[in-house]
């Protein structure tokens, strides 16, 4: 198990995840980031807030950014 932190990047602003969570591997952490991004997006849409540009920065315990999950990439939009 490894601990991953889900910091939220919004332009120059970074909201740090102080606790992190343990996952078996990076794929499992990324799956959780996708689910969490969808939840956050749905809340922001309901509140009429801007939803463009935010992303999770998945980091290791030493602060190294391992992966990035842009919120807009987790949306499933119908294409004509």
């Amino acid at each position: 198990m490894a601990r991953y932190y889900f910091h939220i990047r919004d332009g120059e602003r970074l909201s740090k995840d102080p606790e992190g969570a343990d996952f078996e591997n990076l794929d499992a952490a990324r799956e959780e980031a996708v689910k969490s991004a969808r939840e956050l997006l749905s809340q922001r849409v309901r509140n009429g807030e801007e939803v463009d540009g935010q992303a999770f920065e998945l980091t290791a315990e030493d602060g190294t950014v391992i992966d990035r999950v842009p919120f807009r990439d987790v949306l499933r939009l119908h294409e004509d």
Side-chain angles (χ1 to χ4, degrees):
M1 289 284 212
R3 182 162 293 265
Y4 296 91
Y5 295 83
F6 292 58
H7 304 316
I8 299 176
R9 171 71 62 188
D10 190 357
E12 294 296 316
R13 197 174 90 221
L14 182 67
S15 298
K16 291 193 172 188
D17 170 7
E19 297 176 14
D22 293 326
F23 293 93
E24 191 171 312
N25 54 43
L26 179 58
D27 288 337
R30 189 169 208 295
E31 284 180 34
E32 182 61 30
V34 168
K35 288 180 194 175
S36 296
R38 287 180 178 150
E39 289 175 15
L40 288 171
L41 280 173
S42 68
Q43 290 172 357
R44 289 180 177 179
V45 167
R46 281 193 301 264
N47 293 335
E49 298 173 19
E50 185 177 327
V51 294
D52 187 35
Q54 296 88 11
F56 275 120
E57 288 185 354
L58 293 143
T59 64
E61 289 190 80
D62 67 0
T64 303
V65 177
I66 300 171
D67 200 359
R68 189 170 185 277
V69 178
F71 286 12
R72 67 176 165 252
D73 288 358
V74 304
L75 295 174
R76 293 180 57 197
L77 302 174
H78 175 74
E79 293 184 32
D80 292 329

